[in-house]
């Protein structure tokens, strides 16, 4: 057992004044755990397929909804509409987060699933600017805001749900499947857009082809809703909070937002710093790279989509391996190594992306994708562990969504504007370097949570054997703590 785990367990045992008993250690049934993780990952895959296809079609959408503008203005207008979804994400987090802490994670996640599907499906039905004029971009903006409001309750809820279901020793590995689903969804969106770009002419894509990925959201949403309605509520939400957290739970019913900001501002800032690091990288790779290659580097949309698809495939291969690694070496080392690598490798990666030929751009996108995997893999296990059970969903909704709205979703818009304003094609690399510096500073204040019980929850194990082992260890730790106290 790692030293930080023994020290934290000893601290908790001193607080409760006794070793763990059988009823104090929750055993997660394997079939239930498997269903919870797989359904959450698949639901997340569907939701982020819906959200991600807009990124891959940004240039086309600009031409459909902003035809009178210059190509650069079209692109910026399209990305501004993309960023608008992130403006309302904090509002979604403020609504869905506290709701998830009170009525349960599963009900809220089912709601966000159907809202996302409805918002995405409606984009595919909006007439073009040539047909209905200014009403077209207004309706596009409204649909994107529905998507953003839904997403405000999605990631915080999904990470909370999976983290609360996972045994402590394997939380990094099991939670990484959630982001595995995210990037599979992105990859499927990218693959579909790539196929459409190859199979259809430019006129066909502008006329009706761009609508197909959005219309697929309807049936996907029904499937995702069914899967989420079949899930049972997480064990941590069902079980009673320990005595230390009961007062907090009672206070949070009336004023959870104030409670979170007043009593949990330090972990909230850590959460926002890590989310900035993760999502600036995420939206640089998934949201901006396709457009950077077509509009800034003058490459074909097919080659750009294939390059990003290679990156998504590489992340899918890496992410669960890195999640498992975080269970053994800790979350902090993985974040720290990734942040340092970002600072030193961002410029070389973009130089490779700019280079001629086939292999240099591939190596460039693989570097960026590897960095993104280092941040994505531990996030779903790390962020929920920052907060106690009573306010976990609400705190995640606030910290995650405010950071994404301010820094993640605006990344394509700000980066494109910087490139246009300066003419410097390496501006995206400098932006990533700044995110790496902020991330590295944040890691210094991040408490290690690998293999530890969640704050305010019982220890979670995956088998009766692990339960007995933990009880025996707690008896040894409590006996040692009593002897040490007596010696003083």
């Amino acid at each position: 057992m790692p030293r930080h785990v023994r020290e934290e367990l000893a601290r908790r045992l001193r607080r409760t004044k006794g070793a763990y008993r059988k009823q104090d250690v929750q055993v997660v049934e394997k079939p239930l755990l498997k269903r919870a993780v797989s359904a959450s990952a698949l639901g997340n895959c569907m939701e982020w397929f819906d959200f991600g296809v807009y990124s891959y079609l940004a240039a086309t959408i600009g031409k459909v909804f902003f035809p009178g503008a210059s190509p650069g203005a079209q692109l910026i207008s399209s990305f501004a509409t993309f960023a608008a979804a992130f403006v309302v994400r904090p509002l979604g987090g403020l609504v869905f987060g506290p709701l998830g802490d009170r009525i349960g994670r599963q009900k809220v996640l089912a709601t966000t699933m159907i809202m996302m599907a409805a918002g995405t499906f409606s984009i595919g039905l909006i007439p073009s600017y040539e047909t209905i004029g200014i009403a077209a971009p207004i309706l596009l903006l409204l649909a994107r805001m529905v998507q953003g409001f839904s997403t405000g309750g999605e990631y915080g809820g999904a990470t909370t749900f999976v983290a609360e279901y996972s045994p402590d020793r394997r939380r990094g590995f099991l939670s990484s499947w959630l982001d595995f689903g995210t990037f599979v969804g992105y990859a499927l969106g990218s693959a579909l857009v790539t196929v459409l770009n190859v199979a259809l002419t430019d006129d066909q894509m502008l006329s009706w082809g761009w609508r197909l990925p959005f219309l697929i959201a309807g049936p996907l949403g029904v499937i995702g809703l069914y899967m989420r309605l079949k899930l049972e509520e997480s064990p941590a939400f069902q079980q009673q909070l320990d005595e230390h957290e009961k007062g907090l739970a009672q206070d949070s019913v009336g004023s959870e937002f104030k409670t979170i900001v007043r009593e949990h501002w330090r972990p909230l800032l850590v959460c926002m710093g890590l989310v900035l690091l993760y999502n600036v990288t995420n939206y640089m790779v998934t949201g901006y790279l396709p457009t950077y290659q077509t509009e800034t580097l003058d490459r074909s949309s097919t080659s750009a989509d294939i390059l990003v698809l290679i990156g998504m495939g590489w992340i899918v291969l890496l992410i669960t391996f890195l999640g498992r690694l975080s269970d053994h070496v800790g979350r902090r080392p993985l974040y720290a190594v990734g942040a340092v690598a970002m600072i030193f490798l961002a410029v070389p990666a973009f130089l490779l992306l700019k280079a001629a030929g086939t292999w240099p751009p591939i190596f460039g996108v693989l570097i960026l994708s590897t960095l993104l995997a280092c941040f994505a893999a531990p996030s779903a296990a790390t962020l929920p562990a920052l907060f106690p059970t009573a306010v976990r969903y609400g705190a995640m909704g606030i910290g995650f969504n405010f950071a994404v709205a301010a820094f993640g979703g605006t990344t394509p818009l700000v980066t494109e504007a910087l490139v246009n304003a300066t003419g410097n094609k390496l501006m995206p690399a400098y932006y990533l370097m700044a995110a790496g510096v902020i991330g590295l500073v944040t890691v210094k204040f991040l408490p290690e949570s690998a293999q530890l019980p969640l704050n305010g929850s019982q220890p979670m194990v995956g088998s009766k054997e692990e339960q007995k082992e933990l009880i025996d260890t707690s008896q040894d730790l409590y006996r040692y703590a009593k002897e040490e106290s007596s010696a003083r």
Side-chain angles (χ1 to χ4, degrees), residues 336-346 367 371:
V337 169
V340 171
M342 175 88 86
I343 295 168
F344 288 99
L345 295 181
I367 290 172
L371 295 173

Side-chain angles (χ1 to χ4, degrees), residues 139-409:
L139 290 174
L140 176 65
L141 178 63
L142 290 174
R144 285 293 296 169
M145 292 177 76
V146 170
Q147 285 186 316
F149 189 80
S150 163
T151 310
E154 170 62 25
Y155 189 80
T159 54
T160 295
F161 188 80
V162 173
E164 289 179 347
Y165 249 110
S166 301
D168 300 332
R169 293 182 181 180
R170 304 177 64 213
R171 184 168 293 116
F173 170 67
L174 293 170
S175 296
S176 68
W177 285 97
L178 189 65
D179 285 281
F180 174 91
T182 295
F183 288 103
V184 168
Y186 276 132
L188 290 175
S190 175
L192 178 57
V193 172
T194 301
V195 170
L196 290 174
N197 281 328
V198 171
L200 303 178
T201 64
D202 290 343
D203 288 341
Q204 288 174 324
M205 278 295 291
L206 282 172
S207 176
W208 55 268
W210 69 270
R211 298 182 184 275
L212 296 180
F214 295 103
L215 295 177
I216 290 174
L220 286 182
V222 173
I223 296 170
L225 180 63
Y226 172 78
M227 294 173 63
R228 288 193 168 176
L229 288 175
K230 297 289 286 184
L231 291 173
E232 296 183 22
E233 193 52 79
S234 71
F237 184 79
Q238 293 182 54
Q239 71 191 24
Q240 286 290 317
L241 299 175
D242 64 28
E243 292 296 329
H244 182 66
E245 305 296 340
K246 283 183 180 176
L248 177 59
Q250 293 167 359
D251 292 341
S252 67
V253 173
S255 56
E256 183 165 334
F257 177 78
K258 292 181 181 178
T259 299
I260 291 167
V261 174
R262 183 178 64 250
E263 300 184 16
H264 301 281
W265 62 269
R266 288 183 180 86
L268 203 59
L269 289 176
V270 171
C271 175
M272 294 177 72
L274 294 179
V275 171
L276 182 153
L277 177 65
Y278 172 15
N279 278 275
V280 166
T281 316
N282 183 14
Y283 289 104
M284 187 69 75
V285 175
T286 61
Y288 183 64
L289 273 193
T291 304
Y292 177 76
Q293 294 177 80
T294 56
E295 304 301 317
T296 304
L297 302 182
D298 296 320
R299 290 183 178 143
S300 70
S301 58
T302 301
S303 64
D305 291 339
I306 290 174
L307 196 61
V308 173
L309 185 57
I310 290 171
M312 294 300 98
W314 180 241
I315 293 171
V316 167
L317 291 176
L318 279 182
I319 196 163
T320 56
F321 167 77
L322 292 173
R324 189 191 298 272
L325 182 65
S326 77
D327 283 327
H328 296 286
V329 304
R331 324 289 190 220
R332 296 181 79 242
L334 201 55
Y335 277 116
V337 169
V340 171
M342 175 88 86
I343 295 168
F344 288 99
L345 295 181
V347 169
F350 270 86
L351 288 174
L352 288 169
L353 280 169
K354 288 173 54 185
T358 300
W359 288 105
I362 289 177
F363 286 132
V365 81
L366 289 179
I367 290 172
L368 294 176
S369 299
T370 302
L371 295 173
L372 176 52
C374 287
F375 308 139
S379 286
T382 305
L383 301 179
L386 291 169
F387 307 102
T389 304
V391 297
R392 183 171 295 127
Y393 200 152
M396 283 288 294
I398 294 168
F400 188 89
N401 290 299
F402 272 89
V404 172
F407 306 105

Side-chain angles (χ1 to χ4, degrees), residues 105 236 299 378 451:
R105 287 69 161 116
R299 290 183 178 143
Q451 300 191 33

